[in-house]
Amino acid sequence: MKVETYISQLVQARRLSAQMTQQMFAKSLGISRTTEYRWEHGIVKPNIAHVGILADKLKLTPQELRPILESYRTNQTVLPEESGTIRLDS
């Protein structure tokens, strides 16, 4: 799975679980709706500076956060299959 796809699934699932619009979610993160859209649709992955904020807002577990951080460290674009399942609850 591509890193962008993994992140997009996390963002969309958690946003919908919280019953938030893209605009509301973007505002809660301090980003534009366009940026949130690009993350949620797998167009780009968040800048490393936004990962901590995103992890906090989405209540990511260490297991969910690890592959994202590892992708920045290794500059990889595809996650290993054992990266885990996307949790819908926050």
Side-chain angles (χ1 to χ4, degrees):
M1 174 185 300
K2 290 182 66 175
V3 174
E4 290 85 354
T5 302
Y6 177 74
I7 294 170
S8 78
Q9 289 177 357
L10 281 170
V11 170
Q12 185 177 48
R14 300 291 173 76
R15 178 183 65 77
L16 293 173
S17 177
Q19 299 180 331
M20 296 177 85
T21 65
Q22 287 179 329
Q23 183 66 39
M24 292 164 56
F25 189 65
K27 186 175 181 180
S28 74
L29 292 171
I31 60 172
S32 71
R33 193 203 61 78
T34 302
T35 297
E36 192 282 340
Y37 176 92
R38 294 178 73 194
W39 293 353
E40 189 168 314
H41 286 84
I43 298 167
V44 297
K45 66 182 183 180
N47 183 297
I48 189 69
H50 289 113
V51 171
I53 297 165
L54 191 61
D56 183 53
K57 188 68 179 175
L58 297 179
K59 298 181 173 109
L60 298 182
T61 66
Q63 294 81 12
E64 292 168 323
L65 184 57
R66 183 184 52 78
I68 297 170
L69 294 176
E70 189 68 15
S71 76
Y72 287 98
R73 189 182 70 76
T74 63
N75 204 24
Q76 68 187 32
T77 59
V78 178
L79 297 174
E81 286 189 32
E82 67 273 3
S83 292
T85 308
I86 308 298
R87 286 186 313 122
L88 295 179
D89 60 335
S90 51

